């Protein structure tokens, strides 16, 4: 039996990763890291990931109607 699906709202501010639909369905109990891998984002390399307006931690479990925001990582000194 498959897991129930939840809706995740996504917005990307990465020009080469901006063709996502506004809502993506994933299985319940999906981590933010797994979600990123499913949409082709290499965790902690290609994007700075926010979950509901806070920097995401890879082990956070997504909830129905969460909002994921992808930003270009800032590096330098």
């Amino acid at each position: 039996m498959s897991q129930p699906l939840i809706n995740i709202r996504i917005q990307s501010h990465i020009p080469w990763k901006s063709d996502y639909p506004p809502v993506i369905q994933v299985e319940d109990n999906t981590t933010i890291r797994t979600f990123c891998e499913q949409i082709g984002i290499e965790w902690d390399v290609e994007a700075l990931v926010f979950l509901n307006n806070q920097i995401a931690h890879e082990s956070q479990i997504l909830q129905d109607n969460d909002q994921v925001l992808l930003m270009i990582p800032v590096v330098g000194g």
Side-chain angles (χ1 to χ4, degrees), residues 16-76:
W16 58 93
K17 296 279 188 178
S18 62
D19 58 343
Y20 301 110
V23 175
I24 296 177
Q25 289 191 322
V26 298
E27 290 185 352
D28 199 12
N29 294 316
T30 298
T31 65
I32 187 71
R33 182 181 184 135
T34 299
F35 175 76
C36 286
E37 291 169 355
Q38 289 174 350
I39 63 169
I41 296 288
E42 188 175 354
W43 179 261
D44 212 23
V45 175
E46 292 186 282
L48 178 58
V49 182
F50 289 81
L51 179 59
N52 299 324
N53 299 317
Q54 296 184 355
I55 294 176
H57 301 279
E58 65 183 312
S59 61
Q60 285 180 277
I61 303 292
L62 295 169
Q63 304 296 317
D64 195 34
N65 292 313
D66 274 351
Q67 181 175 2
V68 173
L69 176 64
L70 305 175
M71 302 290 290
I72 296 174
V74 178
V75 294

Short mmCIF file of all heavy atoms in Angstrom, two decimals, residues 16-76:
data_model
loop_
_atom_site.label_atom_id
_atom_site.label_comp_id
_atom_site.label_asym_id
_atom_site.label_seq_id
_atom_site.Cartn_x
_atom_site.Cartn_y
_atom_site.Cartn_z
N TRP A 16 18.31 28.57 -13.52
CA TRP A 16 18.42 27.30 -14.25
C TRP A 16 17.64 26.17 -13.57
O TRP A 16 17.64 25.04 -14.05
CB TRP A 16 19.89 26.90 -14.42
CG TRP A 16 20.64 26.77 -13.13
CD1 TRP A 16 20.82 25.62 -12.40
CD2 TRP A 16 21.32 27.80 -12.42
NE1 TRP A 16 21.55 25.89 -11.28
CE2 TRP A 16 21.87 27.23 -11.26
CE3 TRP A 16 21.50 29.16 -12.65
CZ2 TRP A 16 22.61 27.96 -10.33
CZ3 TRP A 16 22.23 29.88 -11.71
CH2 TRP A 16 22.76 29.29 -10.58
N LYS A 17 16.94 26.48 -12.49
CA LYS A 17 16.09 25.50 -11.79
C LYS A 17 14.74 26.15 -11.47
O LYS A 17 14.27 26.10 -10.35
CB LYS A 17 16.75 25.04 -10.49
CG LYS A 17 18.04 24.30 -10.64
CD LYS A 17 17.78 22.86 -10.98
CE LYS A 17 19.07 22.07 -10.94
NZ LYS A 17 18.87 20.66 -11.22
N SER A 18 14.12 26.77 -12.46
CA SER A 18 12.91 27.53 -12.18
C SER A 18 11.67 26.99 -12.89
O SER A 18 10.63 27.65 -12.90
CB SER A 18 13.12 28.99 -12.55
OG SER A 18 13.39 29.10 -13.93
N ASP A 19 11.76 25.81 -13.46
CA ASP A 19 10.65 25.31 -14.26
C ASP A 19 9.76 24.31 -13.49
O ASP A 19 9.13 23.45 -14.08
CB ASP A 19 11.16 24.67 -15.55
CG ASP A 19 12.14 23.54 -15.30
OD1 ASP A 19 12.67 23.44 -14.18
OD2 ASP A 19 12.40 22.77 -16.24
N TYR A 20 9.69 24.46 -12.19
CA TYR A 20 8.86 23.56 -11.39
C TYR A 20 7.40 24.03 -11.40
O TYR A 20 7.14 25.23 -11.45
CB TYR A 20 9.35 23.54 -9.93
CG TYR A 20 10.77 23.08 -9.79
CD1 TYR A 20 11.77 23.97 -9.42
CD2 TYR A 20 11.11 21.76 -10.03
CE1 TYR A 20 13.08 23.55 -9.29
CE2 TYR A 20 12.43 21.34 -9.90
CZ TYR A 20 13.40 22.23 -9.53
OH TYR A 20 14.70 21.82 -9.41
N PRO A 21 6.47 23.10 -11.29
CA PRO A 21 5.07 23.52 -11.12
C PRO A 21 4.93 24.16 -9.73
O PRO A 21 5.75 23.90 -8.84
CB PRO A 21 4.29 22.21 -11.22
CG PRO A 21 5.27 21.15 -10.85
CD PRO A 21 6.62 21.65 -11.29
N PRO A 22 3.92 24.97 -9.50
CA PRO A 22 3.78 25.65 -8.21
C PRO A 22 3.50 24.69 -7.04
O PRO A 22 3.79 25.02 -5.89
CB PRO A 22 2.64 26.62 -8.41
CG PRO A 22 1.94 26.18 -9.64
CD PRO A 22 2.90 25.38 -10.45
N VAL A 23 2.93 23.52 -7.34
CA VAL A 23 2.64 22.53 -6.30
C VAL A 23 3.13 21.17 -6.78
O VAL A 23 2.89 20.78 -7.92
CB VAL A 23 1.13 22.46 -5.98
CG1 VAL A 23 0.83 21.35 -4.98
CG2 VAL A 23 0.63 23.80 -5.46
N ILE A 24 3.86 20.48 -5.90
CA ILE A 24 4.36 19.14 -6.19
C ILE A 24 3.83 18.20 -5.12
O ILE A 24 3.86 18.53 -3.93
CB ILE A 24 5.90 19.12 -6.21
CG1 ILE A 24 6.42 20.00 -7.34
CG2 ILE A 24 6.42 17.69 -6.34
CD1 ILE A 24 7.92 20.12 -7.40
N GLN A 25 3.36 17.04 -5.53
CA GLN A 25 2.88 16.05 -4.57
C GLN A 25 4.00 15.07 -4.24
O GLN A 25 4.72 14.62 -5.13
CB GLN A 25 1.68 15.28 -5.12
CG GLN A 25 0.43 16.12 -5.18
CD GLN A 25 -0.80 15.29 -5.47
OE1 GLN A 25 -0.76 14.36 -6.26
NE2 GLN A 25 -1.90 15.64 -4.83
N VAL A 26 4.15 14.79 -2.95
CA VAL A 26 5.13 13.81 -2.47
C VAL A 26 4.47 12.91 -1.45
O VAL A 26 3.41 13.25 -0.91
CB VAL A 26 6.37 14.50 -1.85
CG1 VAL A 26 7.11 15.34 -2.87
CG2 VAL A 26 6.00 15.34 -0.64
N GLU A 27 5.12 11.80 -1.16
CA GLU A 27 4.59 10.91 -0.14
C GLU A 27 4.71 11.54 1.24
O GLU A 27 5.66 12.28 1.52
CB GLU A 27 5.35 9.58 -0.16
CG GLU A 27 5.07 8.74 -1.38
CD GLU A 27 5.75 7.38 -1.32
OE1 GLU A 27 6.56 7.13 -0.41
OE2 GLU A 27 5.45 6.57 -2.21
N ASP A 28 3.76 11.24 2.09
CA ASP A 28 3.80 11.67 3.48
C ASP A 28 5.10 11.16 4.11
O ASP A 28 5.62 10.12 3.71
CB ASP A 28 2.58 11.09 4.21
CG ASP A 28 2.28 11.82 5.50
OD1 ASP A 28 2.85 12.89 5.75
OD2 ASP A 28 1.46 11.29 6.27
N ASN A 29 5.64 11.88 5.06
CA ASN A 29 6.89 11.55 5.78
C ASN A 29 8.14 11.71 4.93
O ASN A 29 9.17 11.13 5.22
CB ASN A 29 6.84 10.14 6.39
CG ASN A 29 5.81 10.06 7.48
OD1 ASN A 29 5.71 10.95 8.32
ND2 ASN A 29 5.01 9.01 7.46
N THR A 30 8.07 12.52 3.87
CA THR A 30 9.24 12.81 3.04
C THR A 30 10.07 13.89 3.71
O THR A 30 9.54 14.90 4.17
CB THR A 30 8.80 13.28 1.64
OG1 THR A 30 8.08 12.24 1.00
CG2 THR A 30 9.99 13.67 0.77
N THR A 31 11.40 13.69 3.77
CA THR A 31 12.27 14.72 4.32
C THR A 31 12.54 15.79 3.27
O THR A 31 12.40 15.54 2.06
CB THR A 31 13.63 14.15 4.80
OG1 THR A 31 14.34 13.66 3.65
CG2 THR A 31 13.46 13.08 5.84
N ILE A 32 12.97 16.95 3.72
CA ILE A 32 13.28 18.03 2.78
C ILE A 32 14.44 17.62 1.88
O ILE A 32 14.46 17.95 0.69
CB ILE A 32 13.53 19.37 3.53
CG1 ILE A 32 13.69 20.52 2.55
CG2 ILE A 32 14.73 19.27 4.44
CD1 ILE A 32 12.44 20.94 1.86
N ARG A 33 15.40 16.88 2.41
CA ARG A 33 16.53 16.43 1.57
C ARG A 33 16.04 15.49 0.47
O ARG A 33 16.43 15.62 -0.69
CB ARG A 33 17.59 15.75 2.41
CG ARG A 33 18.78 15.33 1.57
CD ARG A 33 19.85 14.64 2.35
NE ARG A 33 20.97 14.36 1.45
CZ ARG A 33 22.22 14.57 1.76
NH1 ARG A 33 22.54 15.07 2.93
NH2 ARG A 33 23.16 14.27 0.90
N THR A 34 15.19 14.54 0.82
CA THR A 34 14.65 13.60 -0.17
C THR A 34 13.85 14.35 -1.22
O THR A 34 13.95 14.07 -2.42
CB THR A 34 13.79 12.53 0.51
OG1 THR A 34 14.61 11.80 1.43
CG2 THR A 34 13.18 11.58 -0.49
N PHE A 35 13.05 15.33 -0.79
CA PHE A 35 12.29 16.16 -1.72
C PHE A 35 13.23 16.84 -2.71
O PHE A 35 12.99 16.82 -3.92
CB PHE A 35 11.47 17.19 -0.96
CG PHE A 35 10.75 18.17 -1.83
CD1 PHE A 35 9.61 17.80 -2.52
CD2 PHE A 35 11.21 19.47 -1.98
CE1 PHE A 35 8.93 18.71 -3.34
CE2 PHE A 35 10.55 20.38 -2.78
CZ PHE A 35 9.41 20.00 -3.47
N CYS A 36 14.30 17.43 -2.22
CA CYS A 36 15.26 18.11 -3.10
C CYS A 36 15.85 17.13 -4.11
O CYS A 36 15.97 17.45 -5.30
CB CYS A 36 16.35 18.78 -2.28
SG CYS A 36 15.77 20.27 -1.43
N GLU A 37 16.22 15.95 -3.64
CA GLU A 37 16.77 14.94 -4.55
C GLU A 37 15.74 14.56 -5.62
O GLU A 37 16.08 14.38 -6.78
CB GLU A 37 17.22 13.72 -3.77
CG GLU A 37 18.43 14.00 -2.90
CD GLU A 37 18.75 12.90 -1.90
OE1 GLU A 37 17.96 11.92 -1.79
OE2 GLU A 37 19.78 13.02 -1.22
N GLN A 38 14.48 14.46 -5.23
CA GLN A 38 13.42 14.09 -6.18
C GLN A 38 13.21 15.14 -7.26
O GLN A 38 12.80 14.81 -8.37
CB GLN A 38 12.10 13.83 -5.43
CG GLN A 38 12.11 12.57 -4.61
CD GLN A 38 10.85 12.41 -3.77
OE1 GLN A 38 10.03 13.31 -3.64
NE2 GLN A 38 10.72 11.24 -3.16
N ILE A 39 13.48 16.40 -6.94
CA ILE A 39 13.30 17.46 -7.94
C ILE A 39 14.62 17.84 -8.62
O ILE A 39 14.69 18.82 -9.36
CB ILE A 39 12.61 18.71 -7.34
CG1 ILE A 39 13.45 19.36 -6.25
CG2 ILE A 39 11.21 18.36 -6.86
CD1 ILE A 39 12.96 20.71 -5.80
N GLY A 40 15.68 17.08 -8.35
CA GLY A 40 16.95 17.28 -9.04
C GLY A 40 17.85 18.33 -8.44
O GLY A 40 18.70 18.89 -9.15
N ILE A 41 17.70 18.60 -7.15
CA ILE A 41 18.56 19.56 -6.46
C ILE A 41 19.52 18.79 -5.56
O ILE A 41 19.09 17.99 -4.72
CB ILE A 41 17.73 20.53 -5.59
CG1 ILE A 41 16.83 21.40 -6.45
CG2 ILE A 41 18.62 21.39 -4.69
CD1 ILE A 41 17.53 22.45 -7.26
N GLU A 42 20.83 19.04 -5.72
CA GLU A 42 21.81 18.41 -4.84
C GLU A 42 21.84 19.19 -3.52
O GLU A 42 22.16 20.38 -3.50
CB GLU A 42 23.18 18.41 -5.51
CG GLU A 42 24.20 17.60 -4.75
CD GLU A 42 25.53 17.50 -5.47
OE1 GLU A 42 25.63 17.97 -6.62
OE2 GLU A 42 26.46 16.97 -4.85
N TRP A 43 21.48 18.49 -2.44
CA TRP A 43 21.36 19.12 -1.13
C TRP A 43 22.65 19.82 -0.74
O TRP A 43 23.73 19.27 -0.87
CB TRP A 43 20.97 18.09 -0.06
CG TRP A 43 20.87 18.74 1.28
CD1 TRP A 43 21.80 18.75 2.26
CD2 TRP A 43 19.77 19.51 1.77
NE1 TRP A 43 21.37 19.48 3.34
CE2 TRP A 43 20.12 19.96 3.06
CE3 TRP A 43 18.54 19.88 1.25
CZ2 TRP A 43 19.27 20.74 3.83
CZ3 TRP A 43 17.70 20.66 2.03
CH2 TRP A 43 18.07 21.07 3.30
N ASP A 44 22.53 21.03 -0.24
CA ASP A 44 23.63 21.81 0.33
C ASP A 44 24.72 22.17 -0.68
O ASP A 44 25.80 22.54 -0.29
CB ASP A 44 24.22 21.07 1.53
CG ASP A 44 24.74 22.03 2.59
OD1 ASP A 44 24.26 23.18 2.64
OD2 ASP A 44 25.62 21.63 3.37
N VAL A 45 24.42 22.01 -1.97
CA VAL A 45 25.38 22.37 -3.01
C VAL A 45 24.75 23.35 -4.00
O VAL A 45 25.27 24.42 -4.23
CB VAL A 45 25.88 21.11 -3.78
CG1 VAL A 45 26.77 21.50 -4.94
CG2 VAL A 45 26.61 20.17 -2.82
N GLU A 46 23.61 22.96 -4.57
CA GLU A 46 22.99 23.75 -5.63
C GLU A 46 22.04 24.83 -5.13
O GLU A 46 21.69 25.73 -5.89
CB GLU A 46 22.19 22.84 -6.56
CG GLU A 46 23.04 21.91 -7.38
CD GLU A 46 22.20 21.15 -8.36
OE1 GLU A 46 21.54 20.18 -7.94
OE2 GLU A 46 22.20 21.54 -9.54
N ALA A 47 21.58 24.71 -3.91
CA ALA A 47 20.56 25.65 -3.44
C ALA A 47 20.63 25.86 -1.94
O ALA A 47 21.00 24.94 -1.19
CB ALA A 47 19.16 25.15 -3.81
N LEU A 48 20.27 27.04 -1.53
CA LEU A 48 19.96 27.31 -0.13
C LEU A 48 18.46 27.10 -0.02
O LEU A 48 17.69 27.73 -0.75
CB LEU A 48 20.35 28.74 0.24
CG LEU A 48 20.06 29.19 1.67
CD1 LEU A 48 20.76 28.29 2.68
CD2 LEU A 48 20.50 30.63 1.86
N VAL A 49 18.04 26.19 0.85
CA VAL A 49 16.65 25.77 0.89
C VAL A 49 15.97 26.33 2.14
O VAL A 49 16.48 26.17 3.25
CB VAL A 49 16.55 24.22 0.88
CG1 VAL A 49 15.10 23.78 0.87
CG2 VAL A 49 17.29 23.65 -0.32
N PHE A 50 14.84 26.96 1.92
CA PHE A 50 14.02 27.48 3.01
C PHE A 50 12.74 26.66 3.08
O PHE A 50 12.18 26.28 2.05
CB PHE A 50 13.65 28.95 2.77
CG PHE A 50 14.80 29.88 2.94
CD1 PHE A 50 15.72 30.06 1.92
CD2 PHE A 50 14.97 30.59 4.12
CE1 PHE A 50 16.79 30.93 2.07
CE2 PHE A 50 16.03 31.46 4.28
CZ PHE A 50 16.94 31.64 3.25
N LEU A 51 12.30 26.40 4.28
CA LEU A 51 11.03 25.71 4.51
C LEU A 51 10.18 26.62 5.38
O LEU A 51 10.56 26.93 6.51
CB LEU A 51 11.26 24.36 5.20
CG LEU A 51 10.03 23.54 5.53
CD1 LEU A 51 9.22 23.22 4.27
CD2 LEU A 51 10.42 22.26 6.25
N ASN A 52 9.08 27.08 4.83
CA ASN A 52 8.17 27.99 5.55
C ASN A 52 8.92 29.20 6.11
O ASN A 52 8.80 29.54 7.28
CB ASN A 52 7.42 27.24 6.64
CG ASN A 52 6.57 26.12 6.07
OD1 ASN A 52 6.01 26.25 4.99
ND2 ASN A 52 6.52 25.01 6.78
N ASN A 53 9.74 29.81 5.24
CA ASN A 53 10.47 31.05 5.55
C ASN A 53 11.60 30.91 6.55
O ASN A 53 12.06 31.91 7.10
CB ASN A 53 9.51 32.16 6.00
CG ASN A 53 8.51 32.50 4.93
OD1 ASN A 53 8.86 32.60 3.75
ND2 ASN A 53 7.25 32.64 5.31
N GLN A 54 12.07 29.69 6.79
CA GLN A 54 13.23 29.46 7.66
C GLN A 54 14.19 28.53 6.94
O GLN A 54 13.75 27.64 6.19
CB GLN A 54 12.82 28.86 9.00
CG GLN A 54 11.95 29.79 9.81
CD GLN A 54 11.63 29.22 11.18
OE1 GLN A 54 11.97 28.09 11.50
NE2 GLN A 54 10.97 30.00 12.00
N ILE A 55 15.50 28.70 7.18
CA ILE A 55 16.47 27.81 6.56
C ILE A 55 16.15 26.37 6.96
O ILE A 55 15.95 26.08 8.14
CB ILE A 55 17.91 28.19 6.95
CG1 ILE A 55 18.25 29.57 6.37
CG2 ILE A 55 18.90 27.14 6.46
CD1 ILE A 55 19.61 30.09 6.77
N ALA A 56 16.08 25.50 5.96
CA ALA A 56 15.68 24.11 6.19
C ALA A 56 16.86 23.28 6.67
O ALA A 56 18.02 23.54 6.31
CB ALA A 56 15.11 23.52 4.91
N HIS A 57 16.55 22.27 7.46
CA HIS A 57 17.51 21.26 7.89
C HIS A 57 17.14 19.97 7.17
O HIS A 57 15.96 19.64 7.05
CB HIS A 57 17.47 21.07 9.40
CG HIS A 57 17.77 22.34 10.14
ND1 HIS A 57 19.05 22.79 10.34
CD2 HIS A 57 16.95 23.26 10.69
CE1 HIS A 57 19.00 23.94 10.99
NE2 HIS A 57 17.74 24.25 11.22
N GLU A 58 18.13 19.26 6.68
CA GLU A 58 17.89 18.14 5.78
C GLU A 58 16.96 17.06 6.32
O GLU A 58 16.29 16.37 5.56
CB GLU A 58 19.21 17.50 5.34
CG GLU A 58 19.98 16.86 6.47
CD GLU A 58 21.31 16.32 6.00
OE1 GLU A 58 21.37 15.61 4.98
OE2 GLU A 58 22.31 16.60 6.68
N SER A 59 16.86 16.91 7.61
CA SER A 59 16.03 15.84 8.18
C SER A 59 14.59 16.27 8.48
O SER A 59 13.79 15.45 8.94
CB SER A 59 16.69 15.30 9.45
OG SER A 59 16.79 16.34 10.41
N GLN A 60 14.27 17.53 8.21
CA GLN A 60 12.90 18.00 8.49
C GLN A 60 11.90 17.24 7.63
O GLN A 60 12.12 17.04 6.43
CB GLN A 60 12.77 19.49 8.23
CG GLN A 60 13.41 20.34 9.31
CD GLN A 60 13.25 21.81 9.00
OE1 GLN A 60 14.03 22.36 8.24
NE2 GLN A 60 12.25 22.44 9.60
N ILE A 61 10.79 16.84 8.24
CA ILE A 61 9.72 16.12 7.55
C ILE A 61 8.74 17.15 6.99
O ILE A 61 8.28 18.04 7.71
CB ILE A 61 8.99 15.16 8.50
CG1 ILE A 61 9.97 14.17 9.14
CG2 ILE A 61 7.84 14.45 7.78
CD1 ILE A 61 10.57 13.18 8.18
N LEU A 62 8.42 17.02 5.72
CA LEU A 62 7.47 17.93 5.09
C LEU A 62 6.05 17.63 5.54
O LEU A 62 5.68 16.47 5.76
CB LEU A 62 7.56 17.80 3.57
CG LEU A 62 8.89 18.25 2.96
CD1 LEU A 62 8.96 17.85 1.50
CD2 LEU A 62 9.07 19.74 3.12
N GLN A 63 5.27 18.69 5.66
CA GLN A 63 3.86 18.60 6.02
C GLN A 63 3.02 19.13 4.86
O GLN A 63 3.50 19.93 4.05
CB GLN A 63 3.57 19.43 7.28
CG GLN A 63 4.43 19.07 8.48
CD GLN A 63 4.17 17.68 8.98
OE1 GLN A 63 3.02 17.24 9.06
NE2 GLN A 63 5.23 16.96 9.31
N ASP A 64 1.78 18.72 4.81
CA ASP A 64 0.89 19.17 3.74
C ASP A 64 0.85 20.70 3.68
O ASP A 64 0.74 21.37 4.71
CB ASP A 64 -0.52 18.62 3.96
CG ASP A 64 -1.39 18.73 2.73
OD1 ASP A 64 -0.86 18.62 1.61
OD2 ASP A 64 -2.60 18.94 2.90
N ASN A 65 0.98 21.24 2.49
CA ASN A 65 0.95 22.68 2.20
C ASN A 65 2.16 23.45 2.70
O ASN A 65 2.12 24.68 2.78
CB ASN A 65 -0.34 23.32 2.68
CG ASN A 65 -1.52 22.85 1.87
OD1 ASN A 65 -1.46 22.83 0.65
ND2 ASN A 65 -2.59 22.45 2.53
N ASP A 66 3.26 22.76 3.04
CA ASP A 66 4.50 23.46 3.34
C ASP A 66 4.95 24.23 2.11
O ASP A 66 4.62 23.87 0.97
CB ASP A 66 5.61 22.48 3.73
CG ASP A 66 5.62 22.13 5.21
OD1 ASP A 66 4.87 22.76 5.98
OD2 ASP A 66 6.36 21.21 5.58
N GLN A 67 5.74 25.29 2.34
CA GLN A 67 6.28 26.08 1.24
C GLN A 67 7.80 25.92 1.23
O GLN A 67 8.47 26.16 2.24
CB GLN A 67 5.93 27.54 1.38
CG GLN A 67 6.47 28.36 0.23
CD GLN A 67 6.04 29.82 0.29
OE1 GLN A 67 5.36 30.25 1.20
NE2 GLN A 67 6.45 30.57 -0.71
N VAL A 68 8.33 25.50 0.09
CA VAL A 68 9.77 25.35 -0.11
C VAL A 68 10.23 26.47 -1.04
O VAL A 68 9.64 26.70 -2.09
CB VAL A 68 10.11 23.97 -0.71
CG1 VAL A 68 11.59 23.89 -1.06
CG2 VAL A 68 9.73 22.87 0.27
N LEU A 69 11.27 27.16 -0.63
CA LEU A 69 11.86 28.24 -1.41
C LEU A 69 13.31 27.88 -1.70
O LEU A 69 14.06 27.53 -0.79
CB LEU A 69 11.78 29.56 -0.65
CG LEU A 69 12.43 30.78 -1.28
CD1 LEU A 69 11.74 31.14 -2.59
CD2 LEU A 69 12.40 31.95 -0.31
N LEU A 70 13.69 27.92 -2.98
CA LEU A 70 15.06 27.63 -3.40
C LEU A 70 15.75 28.93 -3.78
O LEU A 70 15.26 29.69 -4.60
CB LEU A 70 15.06 26.68 -4.60
CG LEU A 70 14.30 25.37 -4.43
CD1 LEU A 70 14.28 24.60 -5.73
CD2 LEU A 70 14.91 24.53 -3.31
N MET A 71 16.92 29.15 -3.17
CA MET A 71 17.70 30.36 -3.43
C MET A 71 19.10 29.96 -3.87
O MET A 71 19.59 28.88 -3.52
CB MET A 71 17.81 31.22 -2.17
CG MET A 71 16.48 31.66 -1.58
SD MET A 71 15.63 32.87 -2.56
CE MET A 71 16.66 34.29 -2.32
N ILE A 72 19.76 30.83 -4.62
CA ILE A 72 21.16 30.59 -5.00
C ILE A 72 22.00 30.70 -3.73
O ILE A 72 21.87 31.66 -2.97
CB ILE A 72 21.63 31.62 -6.04
CG1 ILE A 72 20.83 31.45 -7.33
CG2 ILE A 72 23.12 31.50 -6.31
CD1 ILE A 72 21.11 32.50 -8.38
N PRO A 73 22.85 29.68 -3.48
CA PRO A 73 23.71 29.75 -2.28
C PRO A 73 24.67 30.94 -2.37
O PRO A 73 25.17 31.26 -3.45
CB PRO A 73 24.48 28.44 -2.29
CG PRO A 73 23.96 27.63 -3.40
CD PRO A 73 23.08 28.48 -4.24
N VAL A 74 24.91 31.56 -1.26
CA VAL A 74 25.81 32.70 -1.18
C VAL A 74 27.13 32.21 -0.60
O VAL A 74 27.14 31.60 0.48
CB VAL A 74 25.22 33.81 -0.31
CG1 VAL A 74 26.18 34.98 -0.20
CG2 VAL A 74 23.89 34.27 -0.87
N VAL A 75 28.22 32.45 -1.32
CA VAL A 75 29.54 32.06 -0.84
C VAL A 75 30.50 33.22 -1.02
O VAL A 75 30.22 34.17 -1.76
CB VAL A 75 30.08 30.82 -1.60
CG1 VAL A 75 29.24 29.60 -1.32
CG2 VAL A 75 30.14 31.07 -3.08
N GLY A 76 31.61 33.14 -0.37
CA GLY A 76 32.60 34.18 -0.52
C GLY A 76 33.01 34.73 0.82
O GLY A 76 32.61 34.27 1.87
#
